[in-house]
Amino acid sequence: MKAASSLLAVLLFGAVFAGIVGGYGERESVSALAEQYLAMVPRELGAPNVVTGILITYRGFDTLGEVAVLFMVAAGVGVLLGGKDTTTASEPGREPRRPSELVGNGAEITLPLIFLFGAYVIKNGHLSAGGGFQGGAVVASGTMLLMLALPATKLNHGFLGVTESLAGVVYVGIGILGLVFAAGFLDSHILPLGEFGTLISAGAIPVISALLGVKVGAELSVIIDRFRN
Amino acid sequence: MELTGSILVLTGAFFLFSAGLGLLRMPDTFTRIQAGTKASTLGNILVLAGLGFYHPDWALKLLVVAYFVLMTNPLSSHALSRAAHAIRTPMAPSTMVDALREEGDRQGNGDVS
């Protein structure tokens, strides 16, 4: 009975997926909106990566909202999990196991690589796949490895908080500069476009990307650290 | 050139397949971790090498990825199996020697690093 019903479930799923696969036709040409963006972003913003150009300039307000959501999450986690004394965790008579030497040494070798890769992803956001959010997440994963492999590490929450707030303030400040000197809030034309495809180009997009990376990296690191205690 | 790359990718795929087979067929946690790690490390590196034959201009990036896999894959398996050993995960009945436990008993505590 059980085997029959699972076979029936598999067959039904198969029918559903066969319908989806059979109905799939590869799109021959891009839609009008995509075509518009594909032409507009490299010409007006000077960014080869269309997605980052859209996210940071045309939908910059949306990105600011995402950063605000992340900030609210960090604040909420801090309210829920912060403020407790951390010494209650270790019960007497049962010492925590020493971390493995191999893991510690390996983490010391891979951590610089991870942080370097995070910085690379952040700085190349306007050229290739990547950007502030992704690079910040990579940096935060490095922080997580640091906590797992070397548990004695203490994060300086005050410093991280100040860094993150400063990045947010400068981000909004750049947006207001765009309001004053260019076409609107978060317009990237306040800096010269530069040569197409080089590291320093595309107006304010790399600056905003770097600020986003710093902010996201610091925020996620603090969130991860809150969960440790 | 492309034939060499294809053969390398195919060999890597074979090793990755054997890693999956090992995960299914091995009797206990430790042998599964061992099968998964060894075969998937080699399989990954072979696939990356094959890709390097296809796109010689990616060679440096692929080398970095291979280095990263080589650094992290055995290390994470080591951490996993060490944790499994510390909470006394049962071993397969055919296990003869537990050198890590004997070493720990000889030193007078239940655990060594």
Side-chain angles (χ1 to χ4, degrees), chain A residues 17-72:
Chain A
F17 282 119
I20 293 174
V21 170
Y24 175 76
E26 199 164 338
R27 192 178 276 196
E28 299 293 323
S29 61
V30 291
S31 67
L33 180 70
E35 208 164 319
Q36 174 89 356
Y37 272 133
L38 282 176
M40 225 160 70
V41 170
R43 195 181 62 232
E44 288 187 0
L45 304 180
N49 184 358
V50 177
V51 175
T52 307
I54 294 173
L55 283 184
I56 288 189
T57 305
Y58 296 133
R59 298 189 184 166
F61 206 62
D62 189 63
T63 306
L64 184 64
E66 282 169 20
V67 172
V69 167
L70 196 62
F71 178 75
M72 294 303 289

Side-chain angles (χ1 to χ4, degrees), chain B residues 2-75:
Chain B
E2 292 202 345
L3 185 69
T4 324
S6 303
I7 290 174
L8 276 176
V9 171
L10 195 66
T11 325
F14 169 74
F15 276 105
L16 288 176
F17 170 75
S18 60
L21 195 69
L23 280 187
L24 280 176
R25 297 287 299 158
M26 284 295 185
D28 68 352
T29 315
F30 302 100
T31 45
R32 279 183 191 156
I33 288 176
Q34 184 243 20
T37 312
K38 277 189 179 168
S40 73
T41 309
L42 185 58
N44 265 325
I45 289 172
L46 281 174
V47 168
L48 290 172
L51 280 179
F53 275 100
Y54 266 92
H55 301 274
D57 47 325
W58 294 359
L60 194 65
K61 288 181 184 177
L62 290 172
L63 203 65
V64 173
V65 175
Y67 176 69
F68 196 75
V69 169
L70 210 56
M71 289 300 306
T72 52
N73 205 355
L75 211 58

Side-chain angles (χ1 to χ4, degrees), chain A residues 97-103 105-107 109-110 113-114 120, chain B residues 61 64 67-68 71-72 75 78-79 82-83 86 111-113:
Chain A
R97 217 155 43 91
R98 274 185 302 125
S100 163
E101 228 177 286
L102 276 176
V103 174
N105 290 342
I109 295 175
T110 43
L113 271 178
I114 294 175
Y120 171 83
Chain B
K61 288 181 184 177
V64 173
Y67 176 69
F68 196 75
M71 289 300 306
T72 52
L75 211 58
H78 160 77
R82 188 167 171 273
D111 177 56
V112 289
S113 48

